[in-house]
Amino acid sequence: MEQILTGSDSRAEPWLVRRREEWRQVGIVAVYNALILTPVFVASARHPLVFLAACYFSFLNAVVIHNHLHKGVFHSKQLNKAFRFLLSFGALYPASANIPSHNLVHHHFGDDGQPDWAAPGHVRFRWNFLNLLHFPNVAGPNTFTGVKRWSDVTRHAGFVLQYNAETVFAFAVTGLLLWGNFWPTIAFVVLPQFYGARCILRINLIQHDSCDVDSEWNHSRNFVGRGFNWIMCNNGYHTIHHNRAGMHWADLAQAHREQAVPRMDRRLDERSMVGYLLRAFVFKVHREPTVSGAGHEDVKESDDLGLPSRPERFAAADEVAIQEAGGAT
Amino acid sequence: MDWTTPLAWMGLGFFWVHTLLMAAHAGAQGAALGRRLRVWASGGLRRARVVEGAGVGRQLAVHRVEQTGRSKGDPKIHFHDRAYHSELEGGALELEDGVVAKLPAGGPVEVWIDPTSQRARADVFGESEFESAHALARKARGFSRVLEHPVCDGDEVWFYGVGEDGAPLMTVSTASATYVGVLVPSPWTPVIATFDPRPWLRGRMWVARLAALGIVTSAVVVTAPMFLWEPFGLEAKLGALGAVIVFNLQQLALKMVRDYTREPSQCHVRGCWRGAAGESTAS
C-alpha cells in the first residue's frame, strides 16, 4: 500500500537531499532570500522588478513550505527542522502550521467532521473577485485559531515548541531588519512576506472553488502548464496530490497523466492559472457552477488502481505527515 | 531612483483595500441579522406554548450538535463541533392570541437554544463517563457524542413561521441561503427559540456594525501619522509598524465577530471536560 500511496521507489538517494529535484526547492529559497535581503542593504537594488520578483518567490517559498511539510527536503531530520526556520522567516508565519492546517485538516475535506479551515465557502461576496482578494482575511485567522485548538489535543511531541520557536525566529529576524533599515524592510521584506503567505492561503480557493470535494476525482482544479509546474514544483497537479498525499512532488506530473486524467472531469484541467483567474474572477462576476463530473463520459467511477478508501488514505497520509514532522500523534 | 517610497505607499493602499473588505464583511454580517430582525418586527414572531409534540418524549423539535472529543493524554477532553442539526418532529403550538399552529414533521426550521445553556449542557458529565470517554478521546478517532436540546410539550417558546390565522407564511418554504457577503440563513426560515431572540439579534447586529466601524477606525489611526507629520518620519514609522500589527488584529477581530454572530442554531458549543475534579469549561 505504501508504494501505491507514495509512489516511492528504490532509486539511490543523492547526497544531503532525498531527491535530486530537491535542489530546485533549495535554489528557490536561496534566490528568494537574496531577493528580499539585498535591497535592505544595497540601495541600488531597490527596484520594482526586484520587488515583483520577491513577491513571486515569496509565494514559491510558501510552496516549498507545503512540499517540505509533506516530505522533508533533507535526509537529516534536524536539518529539515532547521530549514523550517528559514522558510518561516520567508513567510512570516511558522511553517509547522502546515501540519495541522494543511496535512491533517485541509486534506480531509471535512470528511471527519472537522470543517476545512480554508474551504472556499468561507467567503461569499457576490462579486467573485472580492472573494479572491478577501479569502486570506478569513482563512488566515481560521487557520491560526484552529492550530491553537489542535495543539491542545495533539500528541505530536515537540510540535508546540517547534511552532513557537519558528514564530519567534521569523518575527525576530524581521524585527531586526526593521530596526536596521525600516522602510526598505517594509517594502522589500514585509510586503513580499505578506504576499506569499496570503497567496498560499488563496491557492486553496483557486484550487477548490466550484469543485465537488465529496467526489473521488473532481475535488480539485489542476494547472497543467509545463513551465508553471517546473517553477511551482508540480503544485499544479492538485487532484493527484490530494489522492496520494505521500507521493513526492517530482512524481506528480506522471501520476496525474496516468491516474487522474482518465478519471476526472477534464474541465478541471486548466492550461494556465492566469487564464483561469481572468476568466473566473475578473471577466465573470459570479462564481462558476460546481464541476461535478456528471455527464462526462470520460469519468470513471470505478477504481481500478487499488487505491485505498478515503479514510484509509487519510490515515496513511496523516501517519506520513506526522513522521515527516518528526513526532508521534 | 529609490523605489522604497512608492512601494510603501502601495503597501498602504493594499492595507486599506483589505481594511474595507473586512469592514464590509463585518457590516454584511450585521446587515443579515438586521434584516431578520426587521422581518420579525413586521409581524410573525410570537410567544407560544408547545401543546403537542409528536416526537419521542413529546418533543416538538430538537437541536443536535455532533461533537468529537480529543485528548493528548492529560486529564482533559477538548471537544470540537462537527455538525449542527435542527429537526422538526411534528406537533402543535398555541400562539399567544390563542391560535393553534400545526407543524408537520420534517419541515424547515431553525431551533434556537440559548448559547449559554447549550454550553452549560455541554459541561455536564459524570466521573465514570469521563473515564470511558477519555480512553476513546486519546485514540485517533476520538470520542463522539451528540448534544441534544429538545423542545417539548409544555415548553414556552418564541416562534416565527405562521401568519395571524395560523397558516404558514407564504415565504416560509423558501428556506434557502442568502448571499450578502456571508452565508446566512434566509430571514424567512421558521424559528423556534427557547428565549426571546430579538435582544440577542439586536446585540449581535450592533456588535457587527461596531466591529466594522472599529476596523476602519483602527486603520485611520495608524494611517494618520503619514499625513499629519513628516511622511516617512519617526511618527510614520510607528504608524507603519502599527499598520502591520493592526492588519493582523483586524483579521482576528473579524474572526471573533463571525463566531460571535453565528446564530444559536449554528453557534460553536465546543467545550472541555477536565478529569479528576470533574470541572469543565465550554468556550
Side-chain angles (χ1 to χ4, degrees), chain A residues 123 125-135 281, chain B residues 17 21:
Chain A
V123 286
F125 280 106
R126 286 197 190 99
W127 184 16
N128 208 18
F129 179 64
L130 296 185
N131 291 328
L132 185 68
L133 288 181
H134 184 47
F135 188 74
F281 294 97
Chain B
V17 166
L21 281 169

Side-chain angles (χ1 to χ4, degrees), chain A residues 46-48 51 112-115 122 124-126 130 133-134 136-138 141-142 145 149 151-155 178 182-184 186-188 190-191 194 198 202, chain B residues 1-4 7-8 10-11 18 21-22 25 70-72 78 80-82 138 179-183 226 232 236-237 240-241 244 247-248 251 254-255 258 270:
Chain A
R46 292 170 198 157
H47 191 276
F51 171 78
D112 57 358
Q114 172 73 273
H122 288 305
R124 290 187 180 270
F125 280 106
R126 286 197 190 99
L130 296 185
L133 288 181
H134 184 47
N137 298 329
V138 176
N142 279 358
T145 53
R149 287 198 306 277
S151 65
D152 287 337
V153 296
T154 183
R155 285 183 288 138
L178 283 167
F182 188 83
W183 291 110
I186 285 283
F188 289 92
V190 176
L191 288 181
F194 274 10
R198 294 168 67 78
R202 215 168 257 138
Chain B
M1 177 182 173
D2 188 337
W3 287 82
T4 301
L7 287 173
M10 191 188 69
H18 288 283
L21 281 169
M22 286 186 269
H25 191 150
R70 290 201 164 88
S71 172
K72 61 181 173 186
H78 295 271
H80 77 256
D81 304 345
R82 293 203 316 269
R138 284 185 308 223
Y179 298 82
V180 286
V182 289
L183 179 64
M226 287 291 276
F232 302 98
K237 279 185 184 176
L241 205 56
V244 171
F247 183 51
N248 287 294
Q251 293 172 62
L254 178 62
K255 163 78 176 151
R258 287 188 289 123
R270 292 178 183 149

Side-chain angles (χ1 to χ4, degrees), chain A residues 172-232:
Chain A
V173 174
T174 307
L176 279 174
L177 291 171
L178 283 167
W179 181 263
N181 208 349
F182 188 83
W183 291 110
T185 300
I186 285 283
F188 289 92
V189 179
V190 176
L191 288 181
Q193 283 172 327
F194 274 10
Y195 178 84
R198 294 168 67 78
C199 275
I200 202 68
L201 286 169
R202 215 168 257 138
I203 203 79
N204 288 293
L205 177 73
I206 295 167
Q207 288 175 322
H208 297 291
D209 195 28
S210 302
C211 297
D212 178 8
V213 294
D214 295 324
S215 155
E216 188 70 9
W217 293 97
N218 296 317
H219 46 66
S220 305
R221 183 170 290 101
N222 303 284
F223 299 97
V224 297
R226 286 185 65 177
F228 173 87
N229 277 295
W230 189 89
I231 194 69
M232 288 280 289

Side-chain angles (χ1 to χ4, degrees), chain B residues 14-264:
Chain B
F14 284 131
F15 169 62
W16 266 96
V17 166
H18 288 283
T19 291
L20 294 176
L21 281 169
M22 286 186 269
H25 191 150
Q29 200 96 23
L33 299 175
R35 197 168 51 162
R36 180 167 246 171
L37 201 56
R38 281 196 301 280
V39 167
W40 288 355
S42 64
L45 181 75
R46 283 179 280 177
R47 294 204 72 146
R49 190 167 59 84
V50 181
V51 292
E52 182 192 332
V56 176
R58 301 180 64 78
Q59 290 178 8
L60 170 73
V62 64
H63 181 251
R64 292 191 178 90
V65 183
E66 293 177 25
Q67 293 192 313
T68 299
R70 290 201 164 88
S71 172
K72 61 181 173 186
D74 56 359
K76 292 179 193 168
I77 302 175
H78 295 271
F79 290 94
H80 77 256
D81 304 345
R82 293 203 316 269
Y84 310 92
H85 305 282
S86 291
E87 289 167 21
L88 197 54
E89 304 201 349
L93 286 166
E94 183 182 356
L95 305 178
E96 56 192 345
D97 49 11
V99 172
V100 174
K102 290 275 187 188
L103 302 177
V109 73
E110 286 176 34
V111 178
W112 284 25
I113 310 292
D114 176 20
T116 309
S117 71
Q118 286 192 56
R119 287 169 189 142
R121 181 82 66 89
D123 286 355
V124 178
F125 69 98
E127 198 58 39
S128 60
E129 190 182 6
F130 181 87
E131 291 305 320
S132 56
H134 193 247
L136 291 170
R138 284 185 308 223
K139 296 180 177 171
R141 193 174 288 247
F143 163 63
S144 295
R145 68 167 177 171
V146 178
L147 297 173
E148 283 199 354
H149 299 263
V151 179
C152 298
D153 192 359
D155 286 356
E156 300 284 339
V157 296
W158 290 81
F159 179 62
Y160 170 80
V162 295
E164 303 240 328
D165 56 356
L169 290 173
M170 215 165 58
T171 47
V172 160
S173 61
T174 59
S176 59
T178 305
Y179 298 82
V180 286
V182 289
L183 179 64
V184 293
S186 161
W188 307 108
T189 308
V191 169
I192 297 171
T194 58
F195 61 102
D196 184 353
R198 290 169 301 181
W200 186 95
L201 266 184
R202 205 172 288 119
R204 263 62 177 179
M205 180 185 73
W206 280 108
V207 165
R209 286 177 176 175
L210 288 172
L213 190 65
I215 286 169
V216 175
T217 305
S218 63
V220 169
V221 168
V222 294
T223 307
M226 287 291 276
F227 298 94
L228 295 178
W229 288 278
E230 179 198 350
F232 302 98
L234 177 64
E235 294 85 358
K237 279 185 184 176
L238 292 174
L241 205 56
V244 171
I245 294 165
V246 161
F247 183 51
N248 287 294
L249 292 179
Q250 287 172 332
Q251 293 172 62
L252 196 60
L254 178 62
K255 163 78 176 151
M256 290 166 73
V257 168
R258 287 188 289 123
D259 287 348
Y260 187 64
T261 55
R262 285 169 75 104
E263 275 143 345

